[in-house]
Amino acid sequence: MSEELRRSMDGLARRMDDVRAAVLFQAMGPERIHSFAAFDTLVRMHLPFAATDYVQRYILLSGSFYESRQLAEVRPLIPPGAVVVDAGGNIGNHAVFFAMVCRAAEVISFEPLKTIFPILERNVALNGLTNVRCINAALGAGTGGAALSYFQAANLAASGFDLGAGTDYPMTSIDALGLQRLDFLKIDVEGNHLPVLEGARETLARLRPPVWIELRPRLGEFATGDAAMRAQGYRLEKSMSPADHLYLPA
């Protein structure tokens, strides 16, 4: 296949996806609620920005959870009755999976964005989940405040924060939770992995949960993140994608 033909076919596929997304978006109705079956579980998701946001559009088009392959890989590590911290909750995709599919006893989901946090709460409520606690705050090395450093309407989950640089957004730490149990920790914080890990140092040393952490090699995050995890007594178990890495206690 020639390069020109390949580009033409890719362009056609994108246009077909655009048409399909537009049809599905309208089919959700004014409430923008999409229902799908995944992992033998009926899930309802409020997707108000599915026309523009990458993650919401993916859920709408795929009819499944975002990052479903990675979720399937970590599922055996999250037993029924587990306590899970979701650092970077976005619209609740992962929190809903942990609570409904894995049947965690408690999921604590942190999402700092003011436009996204109500969607997280709505998706928790839509699925009747009383085992998810939503916290509208950024995570860092300690308590304080943060400022929005960049906002991406086309991929809301990729928005970033300057920790400790302002008071517009509250900031706390995982250690501040004072958890007595933690069975799994997921960290997806757009480059703020080092302060988040520093703010979880005592919890990780005491409770030793498996950690799923986003470290993007193209942005130089893997080397620093891997060193920080190893310094806290963890080893890389496997990379589930170029950016998603699973660490277990060494």
Side-chain angles (χ1 to χ4, degrees):
M1 180 186 299
S2 69
E3 182 64 22
E4 182 178 354
L5 179 58
R6 186 190 63 79
R7 286 197 300 267
S8 177
M9 292 181 66
D10 287 347
L12 177 60
R14 285 192 297 270
R15 289 193 294 273
M16 291 176 66
D17 277 347
D18 288 342
V19 171
R20 182 164 167 260
V23 171
L24 290 172
F25 186 75
Q26 292 303 318
M28 285 193 290
E31 291 297 308
R32 305 300 185 216
I33 295 173
H34 180 52
S35 299
F36 60 90
F39 298 90
D40 201 21
T41 303
L42 181 62
V43 181
R44 302 179 74 205
M45 297 289 279
H46 178 48
L47 305 173
F49 302 132
T52 54
D53 175 60
Y54 176 76
V55 171
Q56 295 181 47
R57 175 185 165 97
Y58 179 92
I59 295 170
L60 184 64
L61 285 174
S62 69
S64 188
F65 288 102
Y66 179 66
E67 293 187 335
S68 59
R69 182 180 57 78
Q70 293 94 314
L71 290 170
E73 289 193 54
V74 303
R75 184 182 179 186
L77 299 173
I78 307 171
V83 174
V84 179
V85 167
D86 180 16
N90 194 21
I91 65 169
N93 178 84
H94 292 63
V96 169
F97 175 85
F98 297 144
M100 292 187 73
V101 177
C102 301
R103 292 181 288 146
E106 182 178 21
V107 179
I108 307 169
S109 186
F110 290 87
E111 175 51 52
L113 281 177
K114 298 170 185 176
T115 52
I116 293 300
F117 187 74
I119 304 174
L120 166 62
E121 291 187 306
R122 179 84 182 275
N123 285 327
V124 168
L126 274 174
N127 292 286
L129 299 173
T130 59
N131 52 341
V132 179
R133 176 160 41 127
C134 304
I135 300 177
N136 191 196
L139 281 171
T143 58
L148 186 67
S149 57
Y150 55 91
F151 181 81
Q152 294 203 28
N155 187 0
L156 293 163
S159 299
F161 288 85
D162 192 354
L163 302 180
T167 58
D168 290 342
Y169 298 84
M171 181 183 72
T172 187
S173 69
I174 291 173
D175 284 346
L177 292 171
L179 296 173
Q180 297 306 304
R181 177 177 177 179
L182 180 58
D183 299 285
F184 192 81
L185 171 60
K186 170 239 161 190
I187 301 174
D188 184 348
V189 289
E190 303 306 308
N192 281 326
H193 51 284
L194 294 181
V196 170
L197 287 172
E198 181 60 31
R201 180 177 294 276
E202 187 275 334
T203 302
L204 292 177
R206 181 167 49 88
L207 300 178
R208 311 303 285 162
V211 178
W212 170 8
I213 185 168
E214 181 194 58
L215 302 170
R216 300 167 294 184
R218 62 184 176 81
L219 297 179
E221 295 172 2
F222 181 79
T224 58
D226 183 67
M229 291 300 299
R230 293 180 186 279
Q232 296 203 35
Y234 278 76
R235 61 175 175 82
L236 178 64
E237 173 68 10
K238 61 180 174 180
S239 294
M240 299 179 291
S241 79
D244 296 294
H245 310 282
L246 178 63
Y247 283 83
L248 299 180

